[in-house]
Amino acid sequence: MQLSSRQFEKISQFVCRLTGIHLKPGKEEMVKSRLNRHIAQLGMSDFDEYFKYVQRPGNEAELTSMLDALTTNKTGFFREKAHFEFLCRVVLPSLKDQQRIRIWSAGCSSGEEPVTIAMLLREHFQDCDQRDVRVLATDLSTQVLSRARQGCFLEKRVSALPKALLGRYFSSQDTPEGLSYQARPEVLSLIGFARLNLMSRWPMRGPFQVIFCRNVMIYFDRLTQERLVGRFAQLLAPGGHFFVGHSENLTGRSHPFRFIQPAVYQKPHPQDLK
């Protein structure tokens, strides 16, 4: 089924309005291939019919499925390793006197990032269960969130994990897809998963001591990035740290953060602004 430039433009503008994601020219084949299956399953004849269908009241489930199909989800354990080294070396020691610890993984995809964070919290705080420790993991895609909640990863997905952590926080099992590793309850119990469109209202109040939003904002235009960073700053505690992807440095962007190291920023304390 063919996707005309007019149809692509309509879909692109619609997705941008809902999610902030820009489907730039050159993504036509990706959009066509990912939506063709949905159109065929619904017995529809073309993209115009499908586009009208997903906008009708009562068809929110198919709209969510469409957004799932058009969302790119790439992640991994200890992705951008320097971030986690900084987390362990600087951030977590600074929280040693905090009874309440909140970390947000925004754009958590299939769960590797929040599971990595939860393991490191367990490693660093031996009294983790005596503290109020939570990792919020959010994503736009219901499909990847469903996988993330299960905490089950095929063998190739855990290849970047140190053997000690793999043995301590996962149990292995044979599945029809091959050997897989199940995150243990003590890891998953620290994580709360929820669907969140970053362009919508945020129900959480914070404050968070750490926010990870990595390789998400590359899909947004500059103005949307600046607005989003401002909203993150409002929920970050003074002295809190903000992690972005290495291709998302905030140079030339309007933001309230202090540069710490590549792709790591900190919200100043009020006294630092005097």
Side-chain angles (χ1 to χ4, degrees), residues 43-159:
M44 294 180 176
S45 57
D46 59 25
F47 283 93
D48 285 331
E49 185 181 2
Y50 178 71
F51 186 57
K52 290 176 183 176
Y53 177 79
V54 297
Q55 295 180 83
R56 289 183 198 138
N59 291 339
E60 288 80 8
E62 182 56 37
L63 174 59
T64 299
S65 295
M66 183 190 87
L67 296 176
D68 283 355
L70 297 178
T71 303
T72 300
N73 295 284
K74 183 180 179 182
T75 187
F77 288 103
F78 287 94
R79 187 182 184 192
E80 300 187 8
K81 188 176 179 182
H83 282 168
F84 296 104
E85 291 173 347
F86 182 84
L87 183 73
C88 292
R89 187 180 75 253
V90 176
V91 179
L92 295 184
S94 74
L95 302 178
K96 67 181 187 303
D97 296 325
Q98 300 279 342
Q99 281 299 115
R100 180 187 183 278
I101 297 174
R102 291 293 185 274
I103 299 178
W104 181 10
S105 169
C108 70
S109 190
S110 47
E112 285 88 337
E113 180 176 275
V115 169
T116 300
I117 294 168
M119 286 190 294
L120 295 178
L121 285 165
R122 287 279 180 195
E123 287 290 290
H124 194 84
F125 298 110
Q126 300 303 310
D127 62 344
C128 204
D129 291 323
Q130 280 69 59
R131 299 176 185 238
D132 180 11
V133 179
R134 295 292 289 168
V135 179
L136 172 64
T138 65
D139 202 277
L140 174 66
S141 171
T142 54
Q143 291 180 345
V144 295
L145 279 172
S146 178
R147 297 206 304 270
R149 285 189 180 97
Q150 295 172 13
C152 192
F153 306 91
L154 289 175
E155 186 174 22
K156 64 182 179 181
R157 302 281 294 280
V158 300
S159 60

Side-chain angles (χ1 to χ4, degrees), residues 195-213:
R195 183 179 185 270
L196 182 68
N197 182 344
L198 290 174
M199 297 300 107
S200 300
R201 186 183 68 84
W202 296 355
M204 58 281 195
R205 297 181 179 179
F208 295 91
Q209 288 98 338
V210 182
I211 296 177
F212 282 78
C213 184

